[in-house]
């Protein structure tokens, strides 16, 4: 049972708990006896429901680490788990002296806002999602009182998109250069990214047995962070058509000792692409930006969005619409002109 003792002008509530066979105490102070009695009653009711109140005294970083290695690791891929371990480092810095019982929407929001001062909104959002996942587990187990997480938002500056699609003019210039300089395996890799829209890891995961006339069976993905070669989603498993010239280029590349067609090159593809684009006086984009360029080019030429979505290996069309099909400048200008012409013709008909 809870005990309530008056200490000076305050009332101290002490509740006996057991954790791992050892007796623990949960202590809290209140200004009035009524507040103390109400809280004591609530805690006793929680104990009666089987809630493990002792865990509420655990520091949040400690809880997150235990949850990560004992629970979450069994449910996610190795590469995803790696991202959670990176989040753990940030959580230790942000919440190093905060216990589960002291967490609420204000505390978590303040910590995320502090993190957002030196990180992009997207990065802050990704960290917050991991925090929410852990705390929702804590709520389900009764380690925190309420599910306040819907109140917490990721703020901060939205950084410019780095994976920018090249214009049709720049796309054509880059593709022509790559086709004329296939003596470099990197150039063939970049060309393949432009031609297929495949992710970097998927390209690096190609084996000779994955080639067929004329296409590539996408069956694995290579990551710099883990030995896990599983694809990002089930929809990522697909067959991507290629033209005969690209197919014969791939067939000529010697298979590496590890069984793959391309070297990982210490995953320096982004750096090498940056140098190449600078040399060709083309706008800067990331290696993933070649995937965006491929999708945007197909879209600009009127290719059906369902086909584009399947070619990219997306889970649904909405993903394709949200992230990959920004209009290329030339297409936007053409559609602007078409829209104005339609409006003009409508005006003439009315007259």
């Amino acid at each position: 049972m809870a005990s309530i003792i008056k200490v000076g002008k305050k009332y101290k509530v002490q509740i006996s708990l057991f954790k791992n066979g050892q007796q623990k105490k949960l202590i809290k102070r209140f200004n009035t006896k009524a507040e103390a009695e109400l809280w004591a009653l609530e805690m006793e009711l929680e104990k009666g429901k089987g809630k493990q109140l002792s865990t509420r005294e655990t520091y949040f970083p400690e809880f997150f680490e235990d949850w990560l290695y004992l629970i979450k690791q069994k449910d996610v891929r190795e590469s995803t788990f790696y991202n959670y371990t990176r989040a753990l480092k940030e959580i230790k810095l942000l919440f190093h002296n905060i216990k589960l019982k002291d967490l609420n929407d204000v505390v978590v929001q303040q910590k995320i806002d502090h993190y957002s001062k030196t990180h992009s909104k997207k990065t802050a959002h990704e960290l917050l999602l991991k925090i929410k996942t852990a705390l929702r587990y804590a709520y389900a187990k009764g380690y925190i009182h309420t599910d306040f997480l819907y109140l917490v938002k990721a703020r901060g500056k939205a950084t410019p998109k780095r994976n920018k699609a090249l214009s049709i003019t720049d796309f054509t210039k880059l593709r022509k250069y790559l086709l004329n300089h296939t003596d470099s395996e990197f150039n063939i890799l970049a060309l393949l990214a432009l031609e297929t829209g495949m992710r970097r890891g998927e390209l690096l995961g190609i084996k000779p047995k994955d080639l067929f006339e004329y296409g590539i069976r996408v069956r694995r993905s290579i990551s710099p962070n883990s030995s896990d070669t599983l694809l990002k989603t089930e929809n990522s498993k697909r067959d991507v058509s290629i033209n005969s010239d690209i197919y014969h280029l791939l067939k000529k590349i010697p298979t590496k000792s590890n069984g793959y067609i391309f070297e990982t090159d210490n995953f320096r593809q982004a750096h090498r692409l940056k140098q190449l684009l600078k040399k060709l006086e083309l706008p800067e984009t990331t290696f993933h930006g070649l995937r965006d360029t491929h999708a945007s080019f197909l879209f600009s030429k009127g290719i059906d969005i369902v086909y584009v979505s399947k070619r990219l290996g997306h889970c649904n069309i909405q993903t394709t619409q949200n992230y990959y099909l920004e209009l290329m400048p030339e297409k936007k200008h053409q559609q602007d002109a078409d829209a104005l012409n339609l409006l003009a013709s409508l005006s003439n008909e009315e007259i």
Side-chain angles (χ1 to χ4, degrees):
M1 291 294 293
S3 64
I4 302 175
I5 305 171
K6 187 173 184 181
V7 181
K9 294 183 179 181
K10 292 184 178 290
Y11 292 85
K12 183 176 77 172
V13 183
Q14 180 174 298
I15 299 176
S16 297
L17 306 170
F18 284 90
K19 183 179 181 181
N20 300 328
Q22 296 182 335
Q23 187 172 20
K24 304 286 184 180
K25 294 179 181 179
L26 185 61
I27 299 174
K28 194 169 183 179
R29 290 174 172 80
F30 297 89
N31 292 324
T32 67
K33 186 176 182 180
E35 291 175 329
E37 290 175 339
L38 177 60
W39 185 78
L41 177 60
E42 290 175 346
M43 293 302 100
E44 290 296 338
L45 288 173
E46 291 287 279
K47 283 173 59 179
K49 294 176 183 178
K51 303 294 185 180
Q52 300 182 40
L53 303 185
S54 59
T55 306
R56 296 178 180 179
E57 293 293 316
T58 304
Y59 287 100
F60 177 50
E62 179 186 340
F63 164 78
F64 187 93
E65 186 168 15
D66 288 344
W67 167 80
L68 176 58
Y69 283 92
L70 296 176
I71 306 297
K72 195 64 178 177
Q73 186 176 13
K74 301 174 183 178
D75 298 329
V76 296
R77 294 171 49 192
E78 186 180 343
S79 56
T80 303
F81 177 74
Y82 172 77
N83 290 331
Y84 270 91
T85 60
R86 292 176 62 185
L88 174 60
K89 295 177 182 178
E90 301 294 345
I91 289 170
K92 286 181 176 179
L93 293 174
L94 290 170
F95 297 87
H96 67 281
N97 60 347
I98 299 178
K99 296 180 178 181
L100 274 177
K101 70 182 182 69
D102 297 321
L103 289 176
N104 54 49
D105 59 297
V106 175
V107 172
V108 177
Q109 187 68 69
Q110 287 176 339
K111 295 300 181 182
I112 290 297
D113 287 349
H114 176 74
Y115 182 76
S116 298
K117 291 179 181 179
T118 54
H119 296 81
S120 69
K121 184 176 181 179
K122 180 182 177 182
T123 303
H125 176 70
E126 290 172 351
L127 176 64
L128 180 57
L129 284 179
K130 293 175 176 61
I131 291 172
K132 285 184 174 182
T133 303
L135 288 182
R136 287 206 168 98
Y137 175 85
Y139 173 68
K141 298 290 286 186
Y143 304 153
I144 56 177
H145 294 293
T146 57
D147 182 6
F148 55 80
L149 298 162
Y150 69 95
L151 297 171
V152 186
K153 311 294 181 184
R155 297 165 180 161
K157 295 181 180 179
T159 55
K161 184 179 178 181
R162 296 175 60 242
N163 305 326
K164 293 181 179 179
L166 299 174
S167 68
I168 295 177
T169 303
D170 294 332
F171 164 73
T172 303
K173 182 177 180 180
L174 175 60
R175 183 176 182 275
K176 182 178 180 180
Y177 174 87
L178 294 172
L179 279 169
N180 291 330
H181 296 82
T182 55
D183 52 316
S184 163
E185 283 192 16
F186 170 76
N187 287 350
I188 298 177
L189 184 72
L191 177 62
L192 200 56
L194 277 178
E195 293 282 316
T196 64
M198 290 170 61
R199 302 174 178 92
R200 180 184 68 171
E202 294 171 344
L203 294 168
L204 296 176
I206 299 174
K207 293 184 176 182
K209 65 180 181 180
D210 300 323
L211 301 179
F212 64 91
E213 293 188 7
Y214 293 103
I216 302 171
R217 299 181 185 89
V218 183
R219 296 296 183 267
R220 68 195 68 79
S221 180
I222 304 298
S223 168
N225 302 321
S226 73
S227 57
D228 180 7
T229 61
L230 290 175
L231 293 169
K232 188 174 183 180
T233 66
E234 183 60 30
N235 291 73
S236 296
K237 183 179 179 180
R238 62 201 188 279
D239 293 348
V240 180
S241 60
I242 55 177
N243 65 50
S244 60
D245 292 338
I246 303 298
Y247 170 78
H248 290 300
L249 278 174
L250 289 174
K251 292 290 285 185
K252 290 179 182 178
I253 300 176
T255 304
K256 307 304 178 289
S257 59
N258 58 6
Y260 294 103
I261 291 179
F262 294 105
E263 295 279 8
T264 61
D265 192 24
N266 293 319
F267 299 93
R268 295 189 306 127
Q269 289 79 20
H271 174 69
R272 296 192 63 176
L273 178 64
K274 183 177 181 180
Q275 290 181 318
L276 177 59
L277 294 175
K278 185 176 181 180
K279 173 184 173 181
L280 298 178
E281 297 182 340
L282 292 174
E284 185 175 327
T285 189
T286 62
F287 197 86
H288 196 85
L290 301 181
R291 173 174 164 86
D292 287 21
T293 300
H294 174 80
S296 296
F297 178 74
L298 294 184
F299 185 58
S300 72
K301 295 301 181 182
I303 301 297
D304 186 77
I305 190 172
V306 175
Y307 172 82
V308 176
S309 184
K310 289 182 178 179
R311 187 172 176 86
L312 295 175
H314 285 160
C315 293
N316 52 61
I317 295 176
Q318 191 62 49
T319 302
T320 313
Q321 291 175 325
N322 289 345
Y323 298 104
Y324 291 93
L325 295 184
E326 292 184 4
L327 287 175
M328 288 182 163
E330 295 91 340
K331 183 67 174 181
K332 183 179 184 302
H333 294 156
Q334 181 60 52
Q335 294 205 346
D336 283 342
D338 291 345
L340 291 174
N341 288 335
L342 284 172
L343 291 170
S345 64
L346 179 62
S347 298
N348 291 332
E349 288 176 8
E350 290 178 346
I351 292 172

